[in-house]
Amino acid sequence: MAKENLNLTVFGQETEFEGKLEFTDNLIITGTFMGTINATGALEIDKTAVCKVDVMKADSIVVSGQVTGNLEAKERVELCNGSKVTGDINTARLRIADNVEFEGQVNMVEEVPDTDIFTVASKEYKDSLIMKTGEAR
């Protein structure tokens, strides 16, 4: 699936949404959201947005506004200048800009390697991880 073909939906500043939200494309929230987000696309929380969630899951999450609740992103989380996040973050990559208020814990998750760890020798598995991360021996 090519990223260029994904749709972009924007919840405007006047939009107030409460409930469970699921999507596969890209979403920008500029208004108020309360509930749960479970997505496989990209999610952006604009500087005017206020979100109170149990959990916010997406491939990538960029926060410029306020989020209260846990964030889970398969690819990355970015906290932009002036954002405020209260909750735990689980992601593979994290970027936090200056002037960010963050209260919570961070758990860095690794992408699952292509190698099946239960069918290879430990040295072979370790070598596959070293090759993936580009570390020198």
Side-chain angles (χ1 to χ4, degrees):
M1 176 170 31
K3 295 234 179 215
E4 307 87 50
N5 296 334
L6 295 178
N7 294 317
L8 174 63
T9 303
V10 178
F11 281 8
Q13 288 185 18
E14 301 81 25
T15 304
E16 293 184 22
F17 187 95
E18 186 172 344
K20 184 174 183 177
L21 181 60
E22 296 183 1
F23 62 92
T24 57
D25 289 341
N26 300 322
L27 175 67
I28 299 174
I29 298 176
T30 63
T32 303
F33 178 86
M34 295 172 61
T36 302
I37 297 175
N38 189 4
T40 57
L43 175 61
E44 182 177 339
I45 308 304
D46 190 70
K47 64 184 177 184
T48 58
V50 176
C51 297
K52 294 182 182 178
V53 297
D54 301 318
V55 66
M56 179 181 287
K57 293 182 185 179
D59 284 352
S60 67
I61 302 172
V62 177
V63 180
S64 298
Q66 296 181 33
V67 176
T68 302
N70 297 332
L71 285 71
E72 294 182 24
K74 188 169 113 178
E75 296 173 11
R76 70 183 175 100
V77 170
E78 184 173 347
L79 305 183
C80 300
N81 188 345
S83 64
K84 181 177 180 179
V85 175
T86 305
D88 297 340
I89 297 174
N90 289 297
T91 188
R93 295 190 320 245
L94 175 65
R95 173 184 283 167
I96 301 177
D98 292 337
N99 194 29
V100 169
E101 289 184 47
F102 171 64
E103 183 179 330
Q105 296 182 357
V106 174
N107 181 30
M108 301 302 291
V109 295
E110 294 183 30
E111 292 183 28
V112 179
D114 297 334
T115 309
D116 180 2
I117 64 172
F118 298 108
T119 61
V120 296
S122 61
K123 181 176 179 355
E124 185 181 340
Y125 177 68
K126 183 177 175 185
D127 289 346
S128 75
L129 291 177
I130 290 171
M131 286 189 294
K132 283 191 177 300
T133 59
E135 293 178 25
R137 292 184 189 204

